[in-house]
Amino acid sequence: MSETVLLVGGGGREHAIARALAPDCDLYACASNQNPGIAELAAEFETISETAADDIVAYAESVDATLAIVGPEAGLAAGVADALDEAGIYTFGPQAAEARIETDKAFQRRFMRDEDIPGNPDFATFDDMEAACDYIDEYDGDLAVKPAGLTGGKGVKVIGDQVTPEEAKEYLRDSDYERVVLEERLVGEEFTIQAFVANGEFRVTPAVQDHKRAYEGDEGPNTGGMGSYTDVTPSLPFMEEGDYEAAVEVIEAVVDALPDYKGILYGQFMLTTEGPKVIEFNARFGDPEAMNTLPVLETPFLDVLVAAREGESLPELDFADQSTVCKYAVPEGYPTDPKAGAKIEVEVDEDAGALLYYASVDARDDGLYTTTSRSFAVVGVADSISGAEELAEDALAAAGDGFHIRHDIGTETLVQQRIDHMAELRGE
């Protein structure tokens, strides 16, 4: 039987999902923005807010959807998976209660503590900002200051890296956050592992290193992610034998503690001298990490969704032995003062070895326009990180002007800096 799949979301992550699903199913999509890449792959693309659960269910029923997948965290927090499941449309995405592992960072840390999940740093939660400021004064060491709710990856301030203790306290006092989490600053190298989860099982993807800072050399404010890379193996160049497996053990502990979880479980880790520690969990694919892992997934992604729905064992995942480098093109001024409304023309010759993923662009009758968020990404796929980086750069050079890009992502220089950093921390 042919499957009819509804994809909820219109960003680069969802374009990657659409590419992975479209060859094997009848794909329909809905989002608040018209993503031209998804629209080209889908039989139909309806403009619906990603959080409008009732409207999404009505649309899913109108196209006789047999499966659904929710891309963005806002939709999961709004209970879209709950509503679709209740309507009898199996949704590969956690219901709102399980999605709290991402949407409520205070819950996330308490859950890890109560379930003895390894890799949990010291933390404390506050709904009184003055009490949080007192904790900063009293704590022996640097802290990461995190709003408890969703902030699109841009709300975290790290003392000793981005801000001073006084600036952190000023940030808290000036904010309108209802709850915050203060946690031990982790020092090392970040990486993420995404897992496909259903029926108490999970299957993992290669490790990815994302780059949150806006500017080259890891300078500037945090963003939703400026780009990322993978290696030809599941591990990354700065990781030692056993580091990847240790992070997978953390994911396994979470899956064991959440037997009803389904969808993507994304673990963001800091590789420290004591092994991987958990920065956070997300309840969906990463953006840009989906664009690194799905293009090299050789197992049909639809097979994962069908097995999940049928209560069957999830298929083992096969990945091509290739590296990927993803680089985002973002509006000038992003993320603090992005310039929206600029008309853009993007030309990427995919036959040359790089893939184009549209993200937050506004498709109008007379062309494409920028929004205040990331515009598009290109992904090079090759037999080495440096080879993939060259393909991504070539594609960006042909894609047009007027964007900000972190050109250092995936370069031999930056990757070597990661290796040297971990060697220094280990005292090698």
Side-chain angles (χ1 to χ4, degrees):
M1 182 186 80
S2 176
E3 299 286 349
T4 300
V5 181
L6 175 64
L7 169 62
V8 179
R13 162 184 49 224
E14 289 77 32
H15 191 181
I17 295 170
R19 275 185 183 265
L21 288 173
D24 302 308
C25 69
D26 296 321
L27 183 68
Y28 289 78
C30 63
S32 55
N33 66 300
Q34 282 280 333
N35 182 309
I38 298 173
E40 186 176 327
L41 295 166
E44 190 175 279
F45 195 129
E46 192 76 6
T47 302
I48 303 173
S49 168
E50 292 85 349
T51 59
D54 292 343
D55 293 340
I56 291 170
V57 169
Y59 181 58
E61 291 176 335
S62 74
V63 301
D64 296 323
T66 58
L67 285 164
I69 181 166
V70 180
E73 59 271 31
L76 297 171
V80 171
D82 306 56
L84 287 164
D85 284 336
E86 188 174 337
I89 302 164
Y90 182 91
T91 302
F92 194 68
Q95 297 197 349
E98 281 79 31
R100 285 184 71 198
I101 197 166
E102 171 174 9
T103 61
D104 185 340
K105 290 182 176 61
F107 166 81
Q108 178 187 111
R109 288 308 186 196
R110 290 195 296 267
F111 162 80
M112 290 189 68
R113 178 193 62 202
D114 296 346
E115 297 293 338
D116 292 324
I117 307 295
N120 202 19
D122 292 338
F123 75 96
T125 61
F126 298 90
D127 56 15
D128 180 332
M129 295 306 116
E130 285 304 320
C133 291
D134 291 341
Y135 185 82
I136 290 173
D137 288 335
E138 296 163 4
Y139 189 79
D140 182 19
D142 291 333
L143 292 160
V145 179
K146 296 184 175 182
L150 295 173
T151 60
K154 305 183 187 83
V156 178
K157 303 293 183 184
V158 181
I159 297 172
D161 179 21
Q162 298 166 299
V163 294
T164 66
E166 289 304 315
E167 288 170 337
K169 290 188 289 184
E170 183 179 356
Y171 172 62
L172 288 173
R173 290 176 176 132
D174 291 344
S175 75
D176 55 1
Y177 298 134
E178 294 182 1
R179 291 177 303 138
V180 295
V181 181
L182 301 185
E183 57 191 46
E184 160 196 6
R185 178 193 175 189
L186 300 174
V187 177
E189 286 293 333
E190 293 186 29
F191 68 96
T192 62
I193 296 177
Q194 300 164 107
F196 301 169
V197 184
N199 311 319
E201 287 189 325
F202 70 98
R203 301 286 184 263
V204 290
T205 66
V208 187
Q209 185 168 58
D210 185 20
H211 299 69
K212 289 289 188 187
R213 294 297 194 91
Y215 310 130
E216 296 190 5
D218 296 320
E219 299 292 334
N222 276 350
T223 70
M226 292 297 295
S228 44
Y229 67 91
T230 60
D231 207 347
V232 293
T233 67
S235 189
L236 289 168
F238 56 81
M239 298 167 70
E240 292 185 333
E241 185 176 355
D243 289 337
Y244 179 87
E245 291 74 15
V248 171
E249 289 175 3
V250 175
I251 292 173
E252 182 176 20
V254 174
V255 174
D256 288 345
L258 292 174
D260 295 329
Y261 194 97
K262 58 185 174 63
I264 303 298
L265 180 65
Y266 161 124
Q268 183 179 8
F269 299 94
M270 182 72 80
L271 180 57
T272 72
T273 55
E274 299 174 346
K277 301 279 189 176
V278 174
I279 298 173
E280 65 178 9
F281 292 108
N282 291 333
R284 37 71 189 180
F285 275 117
D287 187 341
E289 291 95 335
M291 293 177 277
N292 294 98
T293 49
L294 287 174
V296 293
L297 175 64
E298 296 182 332
T299 305
F301 186 35
L302 183 67
D303 290 358
V304 177
L305 273 61
V306 171
R309 182 191 62 197
E310 299 301 317
E312 299 172 352
S313 183
L314 298 180
E316 297 296 332
L317 303 183
D318 292 322
F319 292 92
D321 296 330
Q322 291 184 296
S323 299
T324 66
V325 171
C326 173
K327 300 192 185 193
Y328 251 116
V330 303
E332 295 291 350
Y334 176 84
T336 54
D337 187 25
K339 305 297 188 291
K343 189 174 182 179
I344 60 174
E345 294 183 8
V346 182
E347 297 290 339
V348 171
D349 179 9
E350 295 200 346
D351 291 336
L355 304 172
L356 169 65
Y357 293 96
Y358 285 104
S360 186
V361 292
D362 184 12
R364 305 178 190 173
D365 291 341
D366 63 338
L368 300 180
Y369 290 80
T370 60
T371 71
T372 57
S373 192
R374 296 171 294 176
S375 301
F376 65 91
V378 297
V379 178
V381 182
D383 294 335
S384 65
I385 296 172
S386 60
E389 191 274 333
E390 289 177 11
L391 290 174
E393 276 296 306
D394 290 345
L396 285 167
D401 300 322
F403 298 99
H404 168 61
I405 298 160
R406 268 198 65 173
H407 294 286
D408 62 341
I409 294 171
T411 60
E412 291 183 359
T413 299
L414 192 58
V415 172
Q416 187 61 48
Q417 287 175 4
R418 307 298 200 224
I419 297 169
D420 294 344
H421 182 218
M422 284 309 305
E424 180 185 358
L425 291 175
R426 296 183 184 114
E428 297 173 357

